[in-house]
Amino acid sequence: FWSQFYSEVIKMPKTVVIDGRAHMLGRLASVVAKQLLAGLNIVVVRCEEISISGGLVRQKMKYERFLKKRMNTNPTRGPFHFRAPSKIFWRTVRGMIPHKTPRGNAALERLQAFEGVPPPFDKQKRLVVPDALQVLRLQHGHRFCKLGDLSASVGWKHQAAVAELEAKRKVKASKFYVAKKKIAALRAKAAATVA
C-alpha cells in the first residue's frame, strides 16, 4: 500500500501552483493540508477569490465574534486575527495540520499563499482541485461570499491595489495567449505540409 501511495506522490511535480479562484475555503484547505503532509510544496495564488459558503453579512458577524477572542491581560500575545485573505487561508490550513510537531511544522513551511498571481507564478501552470470547486460542491442557489470581500470588510486595505495589479496581469496574459495560438496554428500548418 505505502509503495503505491509514494509512487503516486512522486508522479506529481515537486512544487504545485493552485489557483484558488472559485474553490471552497475548507475543502481546498483540507486537500492542501493532506498533500503538504505527504511532502509536496504547494503555492496557492488568488486567495482573495476563494469562496466561503454563507452570505457576506453572516461571515462578517462570525469574524467579528472571532475578533472578540483575545488574551485578557495581554492581547499582543494572541490569538492573532489575520485580515489578509492569504493569511486567513494559511491559518485555516494550519488548523488541519499538527503544526506543533516537527513533521507538521515542516509541512506548514512548504505552503505559500498569495493574493493575486505574483511573479514567477504568473508564468507557471496553475492547477485546480476538482474536489473543492464551488461549481461542483456548493449547492445551486446557496449563498456564498468571496474571501477578499470578507477581508476588506474586516480591515484588509489592499483589495483595490491587488485588483489593479490583476487587471494588468490579465491584459499581458491575453496577449501572450493570442501569440501562443498563432504559433500553434503555424506549427500545425507546417506539420501538415511536411506530412
Side-chain angles (χ1 to χ4, degrees):
F1 166 74
W2 285 110
S3 61
Q4 182 191 349
F5 172 75
Y6 283 119
S7 66
E8 284 176 14
V9 168
I10 289 160
K11 281 178 200 168
M12 293 287 284
K14 205 64 186 158
T15 299
V16 178
V17 182
I18 296 174
D19 188 349
R21 183 184 156 276
H23 285 72
M24 303 308 293
L25 175 65
R27 288 181 180 274
L28 178 62
S30 66
V31 171
V32 166
K34 193 75 173 173
Q35 295 303 322
L36 288 170
L37 289 165
L40 284 184
N41 292 304
I42 296 181
V43 178
V44 182
V45 295
R46 290 215 275 183
C47 286
E48 76 282 0
E49 295 288 328
I50 290 174
S51 299
I52 311 175
S53 59
L56 182 60
V57 173
R58 182 188 181 90
Q59 293 300 334
K60 191 180 174 190
M61 284 167 64
K62 272 174 69 176
Y63 200 90
E64 280 166 357
R65 288 199 295 274
F66 168 59
L67 287 177
K68 287 179 182 171
K69 292 178 170 64
R70 59 181 209 157
M71 186 175 177
N72 194 12
T73 52
N74 188 0
T76 57
R77 290 186 177 181
F80 303 109
H81 312 99
F82 298 121
R83 266 56 168 213
S86 59
K87 295 299 282 183
I88 291 174
F89 176 75
W90 178 87
R91 196 179 201 273
T92 308
V93 173
R94 189 188 70 177
M96 300 179 182
I97 282 177
H99 66 98
K100 293 186 181 183
T101 65
R103 173 173 169 259
N105 190 36
L108 202 57
E109 283 177 0
R110 289 194 287 271
L111 172 66
Q112 290 177 280
F114 298 100
E115 291 87 20
V117 189
F121 308 115
D122 55 346
K123 290 185 171 64
Q124 291 180 20
K125 186 176 177 66
R126 296 186 288 279
L127 306 178
V128 297
V129 179
D131 286 351
L133 281 173
Q134 180 186 324
V135 71
L136 299 176
R137 288 295 166 195
L138 188 69
Q139 287 193 349
H140 181 68
H142 282 211
R143 288 183 182 174
F144 69 95
C145 67
K146 297 284 183 195
L147 191 52
D149 295 336
L150 173 65
S151 292
S153 70
V154 294
W156 182 51
K157 295 182 176 66
H158 306 293
Q159 191 175 32
V162 168
E164 190 182 324
L165 290 167
E166 278 293 278
K168 285 181 188 172
R169 181 189 66 79
K170 284 173 186 172
V171 168
K172 279 173 69 178
S174 64
K175 283 180 185 171
F176 169 78
Y177 183 62
V178 167
K180 185 181 172 184
K181 276 206 299 187
K182 202 176 282 183
I183 290 165
L186 287 169
R187 188 171 284 136
K189 192 177 176 185
T193 54
V194 169

